[in-house]
Amino acid sequence: TTHAREWPSPEAVTEVIEQLTEIADDDGFGAYLKDNLNVIIVPVLNVDGFLQTQRFPDRMTADEQQPRDGRQRRKNLRNPNTGGPIDESLDQTSDNFYGIDLNRNNPNGFGQNNGSSNYVISLVYRGQRPQTEPEIQALLAAADLGPGDRLRMYSDVHSFSQIFFTPMIRDPRRDSITADLVRRMQFTLNSKYRYGPSSDGIGLTSDFFASTYRIPSWTLETEPLQPPSAHGHSGFILPESEVARMRDEVTLMLLTGLYVQADKPRIQAIRIKDADNDEVRYAADWQPAGSGRSLSVTTNRALVPGKTYDLWLGFNKPMRWRNDQGD
């Protein structure tokens, strides 16, 4: 719930909490997840904004075409001119348009690619500089609980349009791992959710996690695919009859992603180079073959005893070096 009005978001992620708890002792899939990963879940990041939408579930300002406060508040409740809080009243309209878009307040792509605005009343006002907002600081603190240097996946859940908006960071290995992971998650719902890779960062939280931690990262937009009215605003209000199904479906995708990233890593490639001149002495890659895989060796030259070589291993997911102290 980075954007306050997107109520399907906390519904989806709290279902993840519920299911992880319910299956933790099943002696199977759930127990495996419990034993092999830490999951950090922030159900509501934009707390002040979310509470404002709940205070006024059937009211909004300023008009139907451009709603800014009440049920349709998107940004947080921080006055960008004073740094103080915005009042909770809808009748004092002078500050209804204020606030910072938390999903534009991040350094990677900040102010770029026409994805945000420096106009304080814009719906996508990014703030004066990256990571100024207390909510973003809270998100960074949450990531450290992972701990941060062992993160393998990040998902920011939004609504609506049924798509994985996925930052590409021009790191071929990371981008390939990400595309494969999204494909596996899509498969659980027969590709009901689309894949939207992009190299144009705009200051999203997923841009930050992709670039900083070099892990699979995306903005997952839940249902509906299209708003059922002439305006876009009803897309943020999922009919109550659809909520339970949506929660189960999104959770199925996210649990699939968690399992894939928690599963034991596989080596996909190996390179051995002469440390003195960088000459490749051995190179091989595992290639898909039917239901398994086969090793394709492209370079296989003798290694000389007593010489120093550099070994590089490529895995199917982000890996970290561990030092002699185990850190």
Side-chain angles (χ1 to χ4, degrees):
T1 325
T2 306
H3 293 146
R5 62 191 179 185
E6 298 174 10
W7 287 10
S9 304
E11 291 290 344
V13 298
T14 52
E15 178 69 11
V16 178
I17 296 174
E18 292 174 17
Q19 289 202 27
L20 283 173
T21 303
E22 291 165 359
I23 65 177
D25 298 315
D26 65 358
D27 293 327
F29 177 74
Y32 182 88
L33 293 180
K34 182 181 71 172
D35 291 343
N36 286 281
L37 54 79
N38 294 334
V39 186
I40 311 301
I41 298 177
V42 183
V44 179
L45 183 67
N46 185 358
V47 176
D48 293 343
F50 184 61
L51 291 175
Q52 181 75 339
T53 66
Q54 294 201 318
R55 289 185 194 98
F56 304 101
D58 55 358
R59 290 184 61 195
M60 63 183 180
T61 65
D63 61 58
E64 193 176 44
Q65 294 293 334
Q66 288 291 327
R68 301 303 180 94
D69 206 350
R71 173 62 183 89
Q72 292 295 339
R73 171 164 282 276
R74 169 186 171 97
K75 301 185 286 184
N76 69 1
L77 258 69
R78 186 129 95 133
N79 187 318
N81 296 323
T82 68
I86 297 169
D87 67 68
E88 299 169 1
S89 171
L90 295 188
D91 298 324
Q92 298 179 28
T93 58
S94 60
D95 58 6
N96 286 175
F97 282 39
Y98 286 159
I100 288 89
D101 184 343
L102 301 176
N103 213 31
R104 300 296 187 274
N105 186 238
N106 300 277
N108 304 92
F110 182 81
Q112 300 175 21
N113 299 308
N114 298 315
S116 64
S117 173
N118 62 359
Y119 189 35
V120 294
I121 68 171
S122 168
L123 275 173
V124 290
Y125 174 59
R126 59 182 174 260
Q128 295 182 353
R129 59 188 184 280
Q131 296 183 332
T132 54
E133 300 313 290
E135 296 90 346
I136 296 300
Q137 295 302 315
L139 181 63
L140 301 181
D144 285 340
L145 298 173
D149 62 2
R150 295 182 66 185
L151 293 181
R152 279 186 169 169
M153 168 178 144
Y154 172 79
S155 182
D156 188 16
V157 181
H158 287 251
S159 60
F160 56 94
S161 65
Q162 290 178 212
I163 191 170
F164 290 84
F165 283 121
T166 310
M168 297 286 103
I169 60 172
R170 298 180 175 88
D171 177 336
R173 178 171 163 271
R174 177 268 170 196
D175 291 347
S176 174
I177 290 171
T178 302
D180 180 66
L181 178 59
V182 172
R183 179 183 62 80
R184 293 168 184 266
M185 296 172 72
Q186 288 176 299
F187 183 77
T188 64
L189 299 182
N190 296 315
S191 296
K192 179 177 181 177
Y193 281 71
R194 296 164 295 142
Y195 178 46
S198 174
S199 300
D200 296 330
I202 58 174
L204 307 177
T205 63
S206 57
D207 291 332
F208 170 77
F209 277 88
S211 297
T212 302
Y213 295 98
R214 311 190 84 74
I215 57 174
S217 173
W218 49 77
T219 301
L220 173 59
E221 298 275 359
T222 64
E223 298 183 34
L225 179 63
Q226 298 289 342
S229 73
H231 316 302
H233 320 310
S234 56
F236 303 117
I237 305 174
L238 194 65
E240 186 175 352
S241 61
E242 302 296 318
V243 171
R245 176 193 51 75
M246 179 277 295
R247 297 179 86 211
D248 286 338
E249 291 182 351
V250 172
T251 297
L252 179 62
M253 289 196 300
L254 291 173
L255 291 186
T256 299
L258 292 174
Y259 173 77
V260 172
Q261 292 306 86
D263 195 15
K264 296 177 179 64
R266 301 189 310 274
I267 291 179
Q268 289 186 312
I270 182 173
R271 303 284 185 273
I272 300 176
K273 289 185 177 182
D274 189 314
D276 296 327
N277 57 22
D278 276 345
E279 179 186 23
V280 176
R281 306 294 296 183
Y282 183 84
D285 300 84
W286 287 101
Q287 301 291 337
S291 60
R293 60 181 189 162
S294 63
L295 187 65
S296 173
V297 179
T298 54
T299 304
N300 189 6
R301 307 180 67 181
L303 303 184
V304 179
K307 285 187 65 65
T308 301
Y309 297 94
D310 291 328
L311 170 66
W312 175 89
L313 300 175
F315 291 85
N316 66 324
K317 60 191 65 182
M319 301 292 286
R320 302 287 185 269
W321 291 108
R322 191 179 292 270
N323 63 20
D324 292 340
Q325 289 72 46
D327 299 324

